Amino acid sequence: MTERQRIALPRRRPIEATLPVTLRSLRAANASTDQSASLVNGHLFNQVRLGAPVPLIQRKEPQGDGMIGVTTISDTTPTDSAINPLVGLKRGDGLNYGTWDLRPRVKLLQHKLNEKTGAGLDVDGMWGPKTSAAIESFMLSRSTVPAEIVDQDTADALLDRKKETPGPGPQPIPPGPQPVESTYNQTLEDTLDAVWLQYQLTFEGQRGGLQKLEKDLAQIEKPKNVIVEALKDAGKAALDALLGFGGGALRVPIKAALAGLGETIAKDGVDKVFDKAQEAAGTEVGKKVDELGSEDGPTLETFIEAQRAALEEASSQTQEAFLLETRARLRQPASGEPVSSGPEDPRVLRARRLLNAVKRERPQAFQKQYDESLAKWAIAQAQSKLGTMDSPSRSVGDEKVKTTDMSKAKPDMPGVLTFEIEGTKPDLPVKITGAKIVGLSEKTRQTLERQQRSILDLGLPRYASGKVEINTGLGSILNFTKPTIRIAQNETGDLFERESTEGGKEWLKKKARPFEEVLTEDLVREGMRMVWEEIDRKRLSEVPGGLKGP
């Protein structure tokens, strides 16, 4: 490149590299807990303030003697609302020390280059030789002089932004309501920065839960018969339980806390973030399971790593969406709403409600991800042993949900909660005398036992067997051998009769309708349903002796 070309290139737009004091304090506080992994490269929202004047910036850069100094860049030129976060990126950004805060922007660049050129770059946020080759190829395709810095025209082309040209002069104002020109508000921008930081810390908390689960399961004998598809479905289900479309254990409480603020804040501030995360995570889990497959087939490590990679991708994808779409939407005032540059602005009040809602839910991400992934790992083992079936009672749209086929279930099968029960009169509740699960470590069994959730809410496949008594009053027949019931239920609530004795089936019928003279086969199923309702409403902590292992 000639000196003239180098001078003609637009100067790189600086970004604010220092967080507000409150965010720095929050980051430090979260780093001290064991429930969220420390913030790593690419997971802290670099504060590209769309529509904000670029302030005086102090950035730490390595000096020649290896010491860290401060370089001051003064640029008070205001930027327009369409500022492009790719402008000014150059080779080495995200790779060289002192530029790691640029990794989210470099990830966006690499993602767009893959879309435009099919370069197949790793979206890692580090600009190396491959990224340079891709940007050069893209520039040449547009008849632009190649340069290892992203100028305004190239950045706009990557993000499909059309360059505005001045019109012929003043145009007549069309009839009807006119779009509201939003007022820049520094407090709003700071609050939106804090919202995104909380979302990123939520994803970090989920990854921390997975890391803890892997450690707690490390001592068990690794099963070698786990089916690939079962592992993919389990990994997707674990993440979907927290992020899922329209639901999810993390999403629902946040939206509930925003009640009364209108659909916009819930849709743009919550649903768009989680929808993007769920979409990215669901795709990545399957890809990662295939990629990490070994000669022994998928393993526990595959299951955990696939979810971690999926959350990494979800974090990257949602950052792009939040940066380019969500923030812009949350800046827009409601129709006829007064706006200002102060903290009383209604947009600020809504953003603060969103911040508080995400902040309250964030600490739960660690344990919720641990619990969901633990349950889904157990289900993967059960499905690998017993097979799967289309649930007759559960579907998503027109597609049936895959669930464990318990038609051949027996006691002490991997991933299945096994209960020992006793039944006296059919009109009295059954008594749980013991509980066991195979395929989990002592620590994870203790975690299941401590959970303040009902047995039903644990979401595991279940098997129960035990002796029962039939007492018909006068004329009762003494049973020298007590009848036995053996019943099962999968994670979606489908019922299975598992070779109960004839006396056991009679007991189930009487439990359904104690005084019915004409007993039909349907009453057996109704009796099973009633028994499982009695079992499922209890907690594992209420079972005598607790949850045992093999």
Side-chain angles (χ1 to χ4, degrees):
M1 183 188 301
T2 67
E3 187 64 25
R4 178 177 303 229
Q5 289 172 331
R6 192 158 34 244
I7 294 173
L9 287 172
R11 185 157 60 93
R12 177 183 179 184
R13 296 177 185 265
I15 64 168
E16 183 180 9
T18 56
L19 288 167
V21 174
T22 54
L23 296 188
R24 291 201 304 269
S25 301
L26 179 60
R27 182 184 180 189
N30 282 284
S32 64
T33 68
D34 63 353
Q35 291 194 351
S36 60
S38 59
L39 289 175
V40 293
N41 302 328
H43 293 288
L44 180 61
F45 177 54
N46 64 308
Q47 301 189 348
V48 180
R49 299 250 170 89
L50 307 188
V54 181
L56 181 70
I57 299 164
Q58 287 188 328
R59 292 189 58 188
K60 294 185 177 181
E61 300 289 352
Q63 305 298 310
D65 57 0
M67 301 296 290
I68 301 298
V70 175
T71 303
T72 302
I73 306 172
S74 178
D75 186 351
T76 57
T77 305
T79 58
D80 59 75
S81 61
I83 184 173
N84 191 313
L86 303 183
V87 173
L89 291 176
K90 59 177 175 43
R91 179 166 181 167
D93 281 346
L95 182 64
N96 297 333
Y97 181 75
T99 66
W100 295 346
D101 60 325
L102 300 179
R103 284 185 177 178
R105 293 170 63 196
V106 176
K107 281 186 177 182
L108 176 57
L109 171 67
Q110 292 167 327
H111 174 66
K112 291 301 178 182
L113 285 171
N114 284 340
E115 281 188 354
K116 299 291 185 182
T117 69
L121 299 172
D122 290 333
V123 184
D124 55 11
M126 294 182 283
W127 185 331
K130 292 182 179 179
T131 303
S132 290
I135 194 71
E136 180 178 344
S137 174
F138 181 73
M139 286 181 165
L140 287 172
S141 71
R142 303 184 65 252
S143 300
T144 304
V145 177
E148 293 194 347
I149 187 170
V150 182
D151 59 23
Q152 185 72 52
D153 289 341
T154 302
D156 288 344
L158 284 167
L159 295 185
D160 297 317
R161 293 182 177 179
K162 295 181 180 180
K163 190 172 182 180
E164 295 183 2
T165 56
Q171 301 297 310
I173 299 176
Q178 303 303 307
V180 179
E181 183 178 350
S182 59
T183 301
Y184 175 76
N185 188 306
Q186 183 67 47
T187 305
L188 175 62
E189 300 302 321
D190 289 342
T191 306
L192 293 177
D193 284 348
V195 169
W196 180 243
L197 177 60
Q198 289 298 324
Y199 273 129
Q200 291 290 64
L201 291 174
T202 298
F203 294 134
E204 293 290 347
Q206 290 179 256
R207 283 193 288 273
L210 288 168
Q211 184 176 0
K212 179 68 163 52
L213 177 61
E214 183 177 31
K215 181 179 178 182
D216 288 350
L217 286 172
Q219 303 305 315
I220 67 171
E221 181 180 352
K222 304 297 187 296
K224 296 183 179 181
N225 62 339
V226 182
I227 299 173
V228 171
E229 290 305 315
L231 204 64
K232 288 181 181 179
D233 290 342
K236 292 176 183 177
L239 296 175
D240 188 60
L242 272 69
L243 308 174
F245 289 119
L250 290 175
R251 183 198 303 230
V252 171
I254 294 174
K255 290 183 66 175
L258 301 175
L261 292 183
E263 293 184 3
T264 300
I265 188 73
K267 179 181 177 181
D268 294 311
V270 183
D271 282 339
K272 281 193 174 180
V273 173
F274 281 106
D275 285 352
K276 192 71 175 179
Q278 199 277 344
E279 180 184 357
T283 302
E284 189 67 17
V285 165
K287 288 169 52 181
K288 206 65 179 179
V289 169
D290 290 335
E291 179 184 323
L292 296 174
S294 63
E295 293 181 359
D296 295 330
T299 62
L300 169 64
E301 288 77 9
T302 306
F303 175 69
I304 297 292
E305 184 56 35
Q307 291 178 80
R308 273 203 294 250
L311 285 168
E312 181 85 19
E313 181 65 18
S315 178
S316 175
Q317 293 285 335
T318 51
Q319 176 155 313
E320 177 186 342
F322 194 92
L323 184 68
L324 298 178
E325 300 173 21
T326 304
R327 289 176 67 104
R329 292 285 298 167
L330 296 181
R331 288 192 189 98
Q332 296 303 312
S335 179
E337 187 176 63
V339 295
S340 70
S341 58
E344 72 285 352
D345 189 320
R347 298 173 299 167
V348 174
L349 301 180
R350 285 193 294 270
R352 283 177 174 168
R353 280 279 296 274
L354 175 59
L355 171 62
N356 291 332
V358 180
K359 186 186 295 185
R360 277 194 300 269
E361 189 59 24
R362 176 186 55 77
Q364 311 302 319
F366 176 94
Q367 194 60 49
K368 286 183 177 181
Q369 186 66 63
Y370 183 105
D371 295 343
E372 288 297 337
S373 294
L374 172 58
K376 299 310 184 287
W377 170 245
I379 290 171
Q381 293 183 76
Q383 292 183 353
S384 297
K385 189 73 174 179
L386 294 166
T388 62
M389 57 177 274
D390 291 337
S391 172
S393 61
R394 194 77 61 85
S395 62
V396 178
D398 296 331
E399 187 174 344
K400 292 290 186 181
V401 171
K402 290 290 184 183
T403 187
T404 307
D405 183 358
M406 299 289 284
S407 60
K408 298 181 180 179
K410 297 179 180 180
D412 303 334
M413 302 198 83
V416 177
L417 270 176
T418 301
F419 296 100
E420 298 172 4
I421 60 174
E422 289 181 356
T424 54
K425 293 182 179 181
D427 57 340
L428 296 177
V430 296
K431 179 182 178 182
I432 303 176
T433 59
K436 180 188 293 187
I437 191 167
V438 176
L440 300 182
S441 66
E442 178 64 24
K443 283 188 176 181
T444 51
R445 288 196 300 271
Q446 291 174 357
T447 299
L448 277 176
E449 188 177 332
R450 285 195 301 266
Q451 287 186 32
Q452 295 303 305
R453 294 196 289 175
S454 67
I455 290 170
L456 175 64
D457 290 339
L458 293 177
L460 296 172
R462 305 177 287 291
Y463 178 94
S465 63
K467 304 292 185 180
V468 295
E469 296 179 357
I470 295 182
N471 186 351
T472 60
L474 295 176
S476 64
I477 301 174
L478 294 176
N479 294 298
F480 294 100
T481 302
K482 289 184 178 181
T484 302
I485 62 170
R486 303 182 185 93
I487 58 178
Q489 185 175 206
N490 60 22
E491 62 274 15
T492 53
D494 305 309
L495 300 173
F496 300 82
E497 196 285 310
R498 290 297 301 122
E499 300 178 350
S500 301
T501 64
E502 289 302 316
K505 292 178 182 178
E506 289 297 318
W507 186 90
L508 289 170
K509 293 177 182 179
K510 288 182 178 294
K511 188 167 190 68
R513 292 181 185 173
F515 305 105
E516 183 72 26
E517 294 181 0
V518 181
L519 301 176
T520 65
E521 193 62 29
D522 290 338
L523 292 178
V524 173
R525 178 170 293 275
E526 181 67 14
M528 289 194 297
R529 184 188 64 77
M530 295 175 68
V531 171
W532 278 119
E533 285 183 352
E534 294 167 359
I535 294 173
D536 286 346
R537 69 169 62 107
K538 295 184 178 296
R539 298 174 181 172
L540 287 177
S541 57
E542 300 171 355
V543 176
L547 183 61
K548 302 297 184 182

